[in-house]
Amino acid sequence: MNLKEALSTGEQRLNEAQIMDARIDAWLLLEWVTGITRAKYFMDPGRELSESEIHVYEEALAKRCRRIPLQHITGEQEFMGLSFKVNENVLIPRQDTECLVELALEKYEPGMHVLDMCTGSGCIIISMEKLHQNQPDQDAGFSGCDISEAALEIAKENAKILHSKVCFIQSDLFEKVEKRYDMILSNPPYIRTSVIDELEEEVRCHDPRIALDGKEDGLYFYRRIIEEARNHLVNGGWLMFEIGHDQREDVMSMMTEYGYEEIHARKDLAGLDRVVFGRYYILDDSLR
């Protein structure tokens, strides 16, 4: 079997399994197995695959046909131009979440201390640490927090692979968080419990439910973080969330209710509301 035949076979099998974007996934799996680039493929589509490459490619296709996410097969996902290790213990990084990181990088000032609540794979906070100002910042501090020990193991491994100096904390939200931060970021679970079983199989069966379930109204974790973050922000500190496309008004109203100011929303590339952010000013002069 040569490269062209393998790609054609892969696309056909994935189409028969009704996999969305079958051609793209067939190519990505072929690229992962063989290490081929598109340029090299078009230069020599007749290159024969080795027996081991054929075996691994066929196994990968079989897994994808069973709706196992492509990223769980390859074990990685690109985010903000960086490659992150992923598995069944963490939410697969989505391009939509890059909107949150891009906003945080805009607001970042040298020396800031940043906390990523519900960090999962660590993609948000590691990207912040690697990309802020594109230069070393000795006074800065970057931390990620998650309740899941298994998720934090992946986050720590990503930090090690990417030579990132992020500190990780295992905690049920702010339970074990002691410091105050200039910026708190979060992509919390925000899917309503009743909706999870309606999601595509790749998500509902393979993403960790703990990273999806936002309880009855999808707003449980926003409510808790908005309330508790006030005790962990410096004067004028930023709180920034990724949100579901229909949660803008609810999250902004909660932030207003709890005394946040300068509250705004930002859309993603598809024109959907994706980020809500604001600042908290401390009224107690002793804490300023």
Side-chain angles (χ1 to χ4, degrees):
M1 183 183 292
N2 62 38
L3 289 169
K4 185 176 181 179
E5 292 167 340
L7 182 60
S8 178
T9 298
E11 182 181 359
Q12 181 180 348
R13 287 184 61 183
L14 296 182
N15 270 322
E16 289 173 353
Q18 298 183 327
I19 300 298
M20 188 178 297
D21 299 323
R23 183 171 181 80
I24 294 174
D25 283 8
W27 164 257
L28 290 173
L29 289 173
L30 184 64
E31 182 182 45
W32 173 67
V33 169
T34 64
I36 196 76
T37 64
R38 285 194 178 274
K40 289 184 178 179
Y41 171 82
F42 287 115
M43 288 174 62
D44 187 16
R47 197 207 90 178
E48 295 290 326
L49 277 70
S50 68
E51 288 187 12
S52 63
E53 286 176 331
I54 293 172
H55 176 70
V56 174
Y57 188 53
E58 289 180 343
E59 279 194 337
L61 289 171
K63 290 179 179 178
R64 189 69 190 97
C65 286
R66 297 199 303 271
R67 300 282 177 168
I68 295 175
L70 183 140
Q71 295 88 345
H72 287 180
I73 299 170
T74 64
E76 59 186 16
Q77 171 65 24
E78 182 178 308
F79 182 83
M80 294 298 295
L82 302 169
S83 181
F84 287 88
K85 181 175 180 178
V86 296
N87 64 14
E88 68 279 2
N89 295 310
V90 297
L91 194 69
I92 297 169
R94 267 76 168 177
Q95 186 179 17
D96 293 338
T97 306
E98 293 185 352
C99 297
L100 176 61
V101 178
E102 290 165 355
L103 173 64
L105 289 170
E106 286 179 24
K107 302 298 183 184
Y108 180 86
E109 296 178 6
M112 275 189 168
H113 287 249
V114 184
L115 175 68
D116 174 25
M117 180 58 67
C118 308
T119 194
S121 67
C123 64
I124 291 173
I125 195 65
I126 292 173
S127 296
M128 279 290 299
E129 193 274 336
K130 297 297 294 182
L131 301 175
H132 75 284
Q133 305 290 314
N134 292 315
Q135 61 185 12
D137 188 346
Q138 297 298 324
D139 296 326
F142 298 88
S143 302
C145 180
D146 205 288
I147 193 173
S148 169
E149 182 178 358
L152 289 176
E153 287 301 315
I154 294 296
K156 290 174 183 177
E157 191 165 348
N158 281 322
K160 182 177 180 180
I161 292 169
L162 293 168
H163 307 288
S164 173
K165 297 179 180 179
V166 172
C167 171
F168 292 102
I169 307 163
Q170 185 177 5
S171 175
D172 181 357
L173 297 185
F174 292 97
E175 181 182 25
K176 296 180 181 178
V177 176
E178 299 176 352
K179 298 179 180 179
R180 287 184 177 268
Y181 295 86
D182 301 277
M183 185 182 292
I184 297 177
L185 314 174
S186 186
N187 177 20
Y190 60 71
I191 307 298
R192 294 189 301 277
T193 303
S194 61
V195 174
I196 292 177
D197 289 337
E198 301 172 8
L199 300 175
E200 58 186 19
E201 188 174 338
E202 285 87 343
V203 176
R204 72 173 187 269
C205 295
H206 297 284
D207 274 335
R209 193 178 184 93
I210 194 175
L212 299 172
D213 193 348
K215 310 294 184 183
E216 184 177 0
D217 62 358
L219 299 170
Y220 174 82
F221 291 98
Y222 293 112
R223 197 173 290 113
R224 283 193 59 188
I225 293 171
I226 288 169
E227 179 179 5
E228 296 175 28
R230 297 177 300 173
N231 296 320
H232 297 278
L233 285 168
V234 301
N235 188 43
W238 292 98
L239 179 61
M240 301 183 180
F241 289 113
E242 176 174 336
I243 60 166
H245 67 90
D246 59 350
Q247 294 174 319
R248 167 181 169 167
E249 294 304 321
D250 288 323
V251 175
M252 293 181 78
S253 294
M254 282 189 285
M255 291 184 74
T256 300
E257 178 184 349
Y258 281 100
Y260 291 79
E261 302 179 32
E262 302 174 34
I263 303 167
H264 301 281
R266 179 168 292 190
K267 297 182 182 296
D268 60 21
L269 293 176
L272 300 174
D273 292 319
R274 186 58 57 191
V275 176
V276 165
F277 59 104
R279 305 181 81 171
Y280 188 73
Y281 293 94
I282 301 172
L283 298 180
D284 186 344
D285 289 337
S286 66
L287 296 176
R288 288 179 182 270

